[in-house]
Amino acid sequence: MPGRPSRWLLRVAFAAHLRPDQSAGYVAVRPTPRSRSQALGFLKCFLGALKMEMTEMTGVSLKRGALVVEDNDSGVPAEETKKQKLSECSLTKGQVGLQNDFLSISEDVPGPPDTVSTGKGGKNSEAQLEDEEEEEEDGLSEECEEEESESFADMMKHGLTEADVGITKFVSSHQGFSGILKERYSDFVVHEIGKDGRISHLNDLSIPVDEEDPSEDIFTVLTAEEKQRLEELQLFKNKETSVAIEVIEDTKEKRTVIHQAIKSLFPGLETKTEDREGKKYIVAYHAAGKKALAKVRTAADPRKHSWPKSRGSYCHFVLYKENKDTMDAINVLSRYLRVKPNIFSYMGTKDKRAITVQEIAVLKITAQRLAHLNKCLMNFKLGNFSYQKNPLKLGELQGNHFTVVLRNITGTDDQVQQAMNSLREIGFINYYGMQRFGTTAVPTYQVGRAILQNSWTEVMDLILKPRSGAEKGYLVKCREEWAKTKDPAAALRKLPVKRCVEGQLLRGLSKYGMKNIVSAFGIIPRNNRLMYIHSYQSYVWNNMVSKRIEDYGLKPVPGDLVLKGATASYIEEDDVNNYSIHDVVMPLPGFDVIYPKHKIQEAYREMLTADNLDIDNMRHKIRDYSLSGAYRKIIIRPQNVSWEVVAYDDPKIPLFNTDVDNLEGKPPPVFASEGKYRALKMDFSLPPSTYATMAIREVLKMDTSIKNQTQLNTTWLR
C-alpha cells in the first residue's frame, strides 16, 4: 500500500523478528463516520478472524496508537517454534482486542504474590492451566461474534477520574501542558534497581561455561511426534504409562543425549534403556505417578537427575520483555520450560504496557535452557546469567528507573524547563495511581470497603453485578445472567475465562452456596482479595493527603508525623525547623498506626465513620482482613532526573534505544532541529511502591485517568 496509512488503518506486522513498532505491512480498515463508534467491535472481530488465518505464520503483532496510563513487571523444540511463536504474539491467550492495551478491565486485580498466580491459588497443574488457556481462546471466538455498541472511548465515559479517588492537588506552580503518554508501549521503559543499587540492564547474552551442561543436541534429537507423545505422558493426557523411543543410530553418546533431552525438557519423567527384539529403546516413564508432576521441587528435594553440588541452586537472569506484565511473562516461561511457575522468584512486578527489564531467579534450570528461549519467544530476551545460592524476594529492590516519552507536547521550552526543574527540586504528591482503583464503574475500593464492613452480600453484588465501562463481551453476558437468575452455575457457563475474579467467586458460590459467601470469596487467591482492602486504604490516604496539603500547604507543621527508623513520631513546635515536607508521612488506616495531631486526625475519623467503619477498631472478624496500617511519605522527590525535548515527524519511529537495540548495535536516533511534532523524553528514578504516572501528572498538570486520557487521545486522532 503506497504512502502513509491514515489514522483509521490497522497496522499489522508480518515479520517474526520485528517488534510491533518496527513492522511493515498494512491492512485497511476504514469505518464510515456513522460507524466510527462501532470501530472497536469491528476490529475485534476482524482480529479474531485474522488470528485463525495466520496460525502457520511465524509471528503476528499489533500496534495501537492509544494513550494508556499504567505503572510502577528447557527450550521449546525447534520443530514447534514456528507454531509457538504465534502463541506469544499480541493476538493470543486473551490478549486480542484494542481495549486490552489498557489496564485490566475486569475485577481481577493482581497483587504481588510470593508465587505467580495460576488462577487457582497456585494449585493447578500445567494440564489444568493449558485447559484454561484453551477455554480463553474459545472465548475469543465467542466474543468476536458479538457486535460492540460502543467504542472504548465511549465505554470509558463511565470510568473513574482522579477526583473520584482523591487525587486533586499539585505542588508546583508552573503552567501545565498536554502530551500523550504511552502512545506506543515502547515509549515507557522501566529498569529495575536492585538491592545493591545498580540499575538492571540486559547487555550480555552469553552462557556461563559449565562442563556439566548437556550438549545443544538435546533440543533437536527428538522428533516433533516424540515430543508430542512425551508431553502427553508428562501431563497425563493419555492412558500410556510409558513412551518408548527407538535409538536409530545406536551409540552410547546418542543414548546419553536422548536421556538428557527427555529429563531436561520434560521434568517429572525418568528414563531407562531397554533391549527389544535386538533394538535399543529409551523408555520414558513417571517415577512416582502423578505426584512426580504435581510436587513442587525445592533445593532440599531436587529431581532425581541431580544438580551439580558446586553450582548455586538458582539461575539468576535479566528478563527484558515487551507488552507483558511480570506474572504473565513467568507463566509463559514456565509453559515453555514445562515447569511450575512457583519455582521462579523476583523482587517486584512490572507492568504490561511498557518495556521492562528486571532480575528473575529460577530453581535448578540451566542458563543453557533459558538462553534457548531467546530462539523461541517474541518480545522476550533473557541474558546476564549467573548461578546463585539464594532466590530473590519481593521487596528487595531499591526502586525503578524510568525512561518515558511524552509525545506531541504543547508546552513551550520554558514551560517544560519550569516543570522539570520543579519535579527535580520539589517532587510530586505521592498519590496512589489510578490503576489501584480499577477501570469500570465499580471501583475496587468499594469492594474493599464492603469487606471491611463485613457486608458480604454487597461484596458479592459489587463483583458480579452488571456495570457500565470497558469490559469484555463474555463478562457482560456473565453479569447479565447473574442479574437475571442469581444462579452461579448458569453465570459461570457464560464465562469462558474462569481464572478471573468473577469466575473464581462463581465457582466458590457453586461449591459453598449463597449462604456462605465468605468461604466462596475465599477461593479467590489471597493477594487478589487483599488488593481490594488495600485499594480502600489507598482511597482514604489519597483523600487525606489532598486535605492535608489544602489545609497546611507544603511545609511541616506541629502535629505532623515523621518516621524515626520504623517508628512514627510527632513534630513538636520546637522541632518544626528541623524537618522539611519531604520528611512528613501520613498513615494508611489500621489498628497499629497513629494519626496526625491536628485537624487531619478528625478528617480521618469523619471519613471512616461516614463509611460505617470504626477508626479505633480496624481489626476484622477474619484475620486476613484486619488492617494494621502503614506510613507513606506525602511528597517524593525523584532521583537522577534528566530530560530533553526532541523534534520528530514520524509518530511511529522510536525516540531512544532499548537494551535490545544496543545489543544489536543499532545507532541511537538522530533528531532534526525542527519537526512536525515535539516530544519530551524524561529519565528519573523512584523508590518502590511509587507511581511514575503521578510524577508525569505533576509535569503535565493533567488528569491521568484512562477516562480523561482516552478522550484526549480520541480528540487528537480526529
Side-chain angles (χ1 to χ4, degrees):
M1 181 176 297
R4 289 180 57 191
S6 78
R7 57 180 172 264
W8 287 106
L9 293 186
L10 175 66
R11 191 166 186 263
V12 179
F14 291 103
H17 300 291
L18 295 182
R19 294 204 310 267
D21 50 8
Q22 294 177 314
S23 52
Y26 297 89
V27 176
V29 180
R30 292 183 181 274
T32 64
R34 184 168 174 236
S35 67
R36 182 175 291 188
S37 66
Q38 298 178 359
L40 176 63
F42 174 83
L43 291 179
K44 284 166 64 181
C45 295
F46 171 81
L47 296 178
L50 183 65
K51 175 177 180 285
M52 298 300 293
E53 293 178 6
M54 303 187 71
T55 53
E56 295 304 315
M57 300 185 67
T58 55
V60 180
S61 297
L62 293 182
K63 157 72 172 60
R64 174 173 183 263
L67 170 68
V68 181
V69 283
E70 301 176 277
D71 268 325
N72 260 21
D73 184 333
S74 93
V76 176
E79 292 85 355
E80 295 177 1
T81 298
K82 187 175 181 181
K83 178 180 73 174
Q84 290 179 327
K85 270 190 176 179
L86 177 62
S87 74
E88 294 315 320
C89 75
S90 307
L91 284 172
T92 176
K93 307 295 189 213
Q95 305 295 336
V96 176
L98 298 183
Q99 66 189 31
N100 288 304
D101 284 342
F102 286 80
L103 294 166
S104 170
I105 52 177
S106 74
E107 290 292 345
D108 192 1
V109 186
D114 294 329
T115 59
V116 178
S117 170
T118 54
K120 295 183 181 180
K123 297 180 182 178
N124 56 334
S125 68
E126 283 89 350
Q128 289 170 313
L129 182 61
E130 186 171 289
D131 289 341
E132 289 185 346
E133 287 162 355
E134 288 170 359
E135 288 176 326
E136 284 189 69
E137 291 183 339
D138 292 339
L140 289 177
S141 59
E142 219 177 89
E143 190 178 350
C144 284
E145 291 172 3
E146 63 179 322
E147 183 174 321
E148 294 287 340
S149 59
E150 295 181 290
S151 71
F152 186 74
D154 289 333
M155 290 188 286
M156 286 315 303
K157 291 176 182 176
H158 310 288
L160 295 171
T161 64
E162 288 184 346
D164 294 329
V165 294
I167 302 173
T168 58
K169 300 297 179 183
F170 295 96
V171 299
S172 55
S173 57
H174 73 271
Q175 182 181 352
F177 53 91
S178 69
I180 298 182
L181 170 64
K182 291 193 182 181
E183 182 186 354
R184 306 151 56 82
Y185 69 75
S186 54
D187 285 346
F188 198 95
V189 178
V190 186
H191 288 268
E192 189 172 73
I193 304 173
K195 54 186 175 183
D196 58 359
R198 289 187 299 179
I199 298 175
S200 291
H201 282 280
L202 181 75
N203 51 26
D204 183 4
L205 300 182
S206 64
I207 301 170
V209 177
D210 193 328
E211 294 180 357
E212 301 196 49
D213 279 338
S215 73
E216 286 284 326
D217 292 340
I218 66 168
F219 300 112
T220 57
V221 70
L222 299 172
T223 67
E225 180 184 356
E226 288 166 347
K227 290 168 185 170
Q228 179 68 25
R229 291 177 63 205
L230 287 165
E231 183 170 8
E232 290 174 354
L233 173 67
Q234 181 200 33
L235 301 178
F236 298 97
K237 285 191 171 183
N238 57 30
K239 296 181 180 180
E240 286 186 281
T241 58
S242 65
V243 169
I245 297 172
E246 183 182 354
V247 185
I248 303 298
E249 300 169 3
D250 182 25
T251 64
K252 184 177 179 180
E253 291 75 16
K254 181 71 174 289
R255 293 196 303 271
T256 298
V257 171
I258 295 175
H259 283 292
Q260 290 175 336
I262 294 172
K263 291 177 179 180
S264 296
L265 302 180
F266 302 92
L269 297 185
E270 297 296 339
T271 58
K272 59 185 177 181
T273 303
E274 288 186 359
D275 283 307
R276 297 182 182 180
E277 299 177 355
K279 296 180 179 179
K280 293 279 189 184
Y281 287 84
I282 306 296
V283 180
Y285 61 96
H286 278 289
K290 292 193 176 184
K291 291 182 180 178
L293 180 64
K295 187 171 183 180
V296 177
R297 297 296 178 179
T298 66
D301 183 21
R303 292 187 291 270
K304 185 177 178 181
H305 40 291
S306 60
W307 188 262
K309 291 182 179 179
S310 60
R311 179 196 288 169
S313 293
Y314 295 87
C315 185
H316 288 229
F317 61 95
V318 170
L319 173 65
Y320 168 102
K321 60 183 180 61
E322 300 183 359
N323 207 29
K324 221 169 194 44
D325 69 36
T326 300
M327 289 178 284
D328 283 343
I330 287 179
N331 280 327
V332 168
L333 298 180
S334 67
R335 288 198 299 273
Y336 273 71
L337 294 166
R338 300 184 180 91
V339 296
K340 295 183 81 65
N342 50 16
I343 69 171
F344 291 86
S345 58
Y346 47 90
M347 294 183 286
T349 57
K350 302 293 182 283
D351 294 320
K352 176 186 173 183
R353 192 169 168 80
I355 292 174
T356 67
V357 182
Q358 68 181 118
E359 189 175 353
I360 305 287
V362 60
L363 175 65
K364 296 192 174 180
I365 300 292
T366 65
Q368 183 187 35
R369 285 183 68 193
L370 292 168
H372 187 73
L373 296 179
N374 289 333
K375 303 175 184 177
C376 310
L377 298 177
M378 292 181 64
N379 300 338
F380 287 82
K381 212 70 162 179
L382 288 67
N384 296 79
F385 301 104
S386 65
Y387 293 108
Q388 308 287 340
K389 293 181 179 179
N390 300 309
L392 297 170
K393 295 180 180 178
L394 277 171
E396 285 185 329
L397 74 166
Q398 286 195 17
N400 294 290
H401 184 80
F402 296 87
T403 302
V404 178
V405 169
L406 303 177
R407 291 183 182 252
N408 199 33
I409 61 169
T410 60
T412 65
D413 288 346
D414 284 344
Q415 284 178 288
V416 171
Q417 185 81 6
Q418 290 173 22
M420 295 306 298
N421 279 332
S422 175
L423 182 68
R424 181 172 58 189
E425 294 164 11
I426 302 175
F428 62 96
I429 304 172
N430 193 20
Y431 286 124
Y432 287 95
M434 294 302 298
Q435 58 271 46
R436 190 82 165 182
F437 306 103
T439 58
T440 69
V442 180
T444 53
Y445 75 80
Q446 291 183 6
V447 180
R449 179 170 56 201
I451 293 170
L452 295 173
Q453 293 169 343
N454 222 29
S455 302
W456 292 102
T457 300
E458 185 181 357
V459 170
M460 177 181 67
D461 289 341
L462 285 170
I463 293 175
L464 295 177
K465 72 179 183 180
R467 76 276 312 275
S468 302
E471 288 211 303
K472 296 180 180 179
Y474 53 76
L475 267 176
V476 174
K477 291 180 179 179
C478 170
R479 297 188 192 286
E480 289 173 349
E481 182 67 27
W482 172 256
K484 183 171 64 176
T485 65
K486 288 294 189 282
D487 180 346
L492 194 60
R493 285 194 291 272
K494 300 286 186 182
L495 197 60
V497 183
K498 295 178 173 58
R499 287 187 293 167
C500 60
V501 166
E502 293 83 358
Q504 291 161 336
L505 178 56
L506 288 168
R507 271 203 307 270
L509 292 170
S510 297
K511 179 176 180 179
Y512 294 106
M514 301 284 285
K515 293 185 178 180
N516 195 352
I517 300 171
V518 174
S519 295
F521 184 70
I523 280 185
I524 299 169
R526 181 176 183 271
N527 286 287
N528 287 11
R529 287 182 276 125
L530 296 185
M531 277 299 292
Y532 286 118
I533 57 175
H534 293 160
S535 176
Y536 178 73
Q537 284 182 300
S538 305
Y539 170 71
V540 172
W541 194 90
N542 280 359
N543 278 278
M544 292 299 98
V545 167
S546 291
K547 184 163 181 56
R548 158 64 181 77
I549 290 173
E550 180 179 349
D551 289 352
Y552 297 108
L554 295 177
K555 62 182 187 301
V557 298
D560 272 336
L561 293 170
V562 292
L563 288 179
K564 295 181 178 178
T567 305
S569 61
Y570 295 108
I571 297 180
E572 304 295 340
E573 186 80 44
D574 297 339
D575 291 334
V576 167
N577 293 331
N578 295 328
Y579 297 101
S580 77
I581 192 64
H582 299 97
D583 300 312
V584 177
V585 298
M586 294 269 283
L588 284 86
F591 60 78
D592 198 25
V593 296
I594 58 176
Y595 295 88
K597 274 187 180 176
H598 44 56
K599 57 185 179 180
I600 301 303
Q601 181 182 71
E602 188 56 32
Y604 271 97
R605 185 176 299 276
E606 289 173 359
M607 185 171 186
L608 267 69
T609 300
D611 287 338
N612 294 316
L613 296 171
D614 183 356
I615 196 172
D616 299 315
N617 182 18
M618 297 301 290
R619 296 186 186 273
H620 197 278
K621 293 178 181 178
I622 301 170
R623 185 176 179 181
D624 268 357
Y625 309 137
S626 291
L627 295 178
S628 61
Y631 300 98
R632 181 176 175 88
K633 286 192 172 183
I634 68 174
I635 302 292
I636 290 292
R637 186 161 43 195
Q639 302 298 307
N640 307 312
V641 178
S642 64
W643 68 92
E644 65 174 322
V645 176
V646 298
Y648 64 102
D649 291 314
D650 186 350
K652 297 186 296 296
I653 63 167
L655 300 182
F656 59 89
N657 273 7
T658 66
D659 284 0
V660 169
D661 292 332
N662 293 332
L663 276 170
E664 294 172 352
K666 292 184 180 178
V670 178
F671 304 108
S673 56
E674 294 184 2
K676 186 184 296 186
Y677 310 111
R678 293 163 65 246
L680 170 60
K681 176 180 173 288
M682 23 188 329
D683 281 86
F684 54 90
S685 299
L686 294 177
S689 301
T690 54
Y691 289 76
T693 46
M694 294 296 98
I696 295 163
R697 168 187 182 270
E698 186 69 41
V699 169
L700 295 178
K701 292 284 188 76
M702 213 164 100
D703 188 328
T704 60
S705 66
I706 294 179
K707 175 178 180 177
N708 181 68
Q709 299 283 11
T710 305
Q711 292 166 358
L712 170 71
N713 198 50
T714 304
T715 301
W716 182 73
L717 285 171
R718 288 184 183 133

